[in-house]
């Protein structure tokens, strides 16, 4: 449990740091973004038993609504974080320039939307676990 809490604190701090690209600079922003993405999946690995258990009984009437909502938030977070990293690769200025999209502005807008939406859902996620 302690490892998961430390991981959660690190991920949250990094997400907040990533929101201020003027502070980190583009290179560190891209590196930290990849780091958060990796930590996010490590977080999912730590919680794989819960994910499996809830997935198997998601539509059970006995499963509390709060648990179903938490599961839905987690699925949405998975989608948003994945989209954030994919769009980040498309707009990369340092690490993945070979994958740049033609319409950087389009992908940049969606990258920001997914990142800020993720931050909101992370806040809800943390609040529901408290």
């Amino acid at each position: 449990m302690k490892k998961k809490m430390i991981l959660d604190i690190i991920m949250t701090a990094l997400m907040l740091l990533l929101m201020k690209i003027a502070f980190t600079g583009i290179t560190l922003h891209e590196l930290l973004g990849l780091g958060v993405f990796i930590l996010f999946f490590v977080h999912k690995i730590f919680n794989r038993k819960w994910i499996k258990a809830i997935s198997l009984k998601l539509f059970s009437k006995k499963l509390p609504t709060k648990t179903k909502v938490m599961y839905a938030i987690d699925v949405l977070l998975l989608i948003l974080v994945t989209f954030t990293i994919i769009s980040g690769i498309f707009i990369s200025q340092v690490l993945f320039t070979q994958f740049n999209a033609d319409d950087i502005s389009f992908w940049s807008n969606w990258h920001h939307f997914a990142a800020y939406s993720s931050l909101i859902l992370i806040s809800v996620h943390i609040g529901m676990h408290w």
Side-chain angles (χ1 to χ4, degrees):
M1 186 61 125
K2 191 175 186 179
K3 288 179 187 178
K4 288 188 340 185
M5 187 179 297
I6 291 169
L7 179 64
D8 290 351
I9 291 168
I10 291 170
M11 284 192 316
T12 303
L14 288 176
M15 276 296 289
L16 291 171
L17 187 61
L18 283 166
M19 294 297 158
K20 199 64 173 165
I21 198 167
F23 181 73
T24 63
I26 191 65
T27 303
L28 187 56
H29 177 82
E30 290 184 18
L31 288 169
L32 290 174
L34 286 175
V36 168
F37 186 64
I38 291 165
L39 292 176
F40 180 79
F41 279 97
V42 169
H43 176 83
K44 292 298 173 200
I45 290 168
F46 280 162
N47 292 294
R48 69 186 176 278
K49 290 179 184 175
W50 183 86
I51 294 168
K52 182 179 179 181
I54 301 306
S55 296
L56 292 173
K57 56 184 175 182
L58 186 60
F59 298 104
S60 168
K61 292 180 181 184
K62 294 179 181 179
L63 194 64
T65 301
K66 180 182 176 186
T67 304
K68 291 179 183 180
V69 169
M70 289 170 62
Y71 186 89
I73 289 170
D74 284 356
V75 169
L76 191 52
L77 262 172
L78 175 64
I79 293 166
L80 285 169
V81 169
T82 301
F83 188 79
T84 302
I85 195 70
I86 291 169
S87 60
I89 289 169
F90 287 161
I91 64 173
S92 174
Q93 296 177 18
V94 178
L95 300 179
F96 299 103
T97 55
Q98 68 273 24
F99 298 113
N100 281 156
D102 291 333
D103 190 352
I104 299 291
S105 177
F106 171 84
W107 287 103
S108 180
N109 288 335
W110 280 106
H111 179 75
H112 289 99
F113 172 79
Y116 286 114
S117 298
S118 294
L119 187 61
I120 291 167
L121 281 182
I122 287 167
S123 301
V124 173
H125 173 86
I126 290 169
M128 290 187 79
H129 281 282
W130 242 334

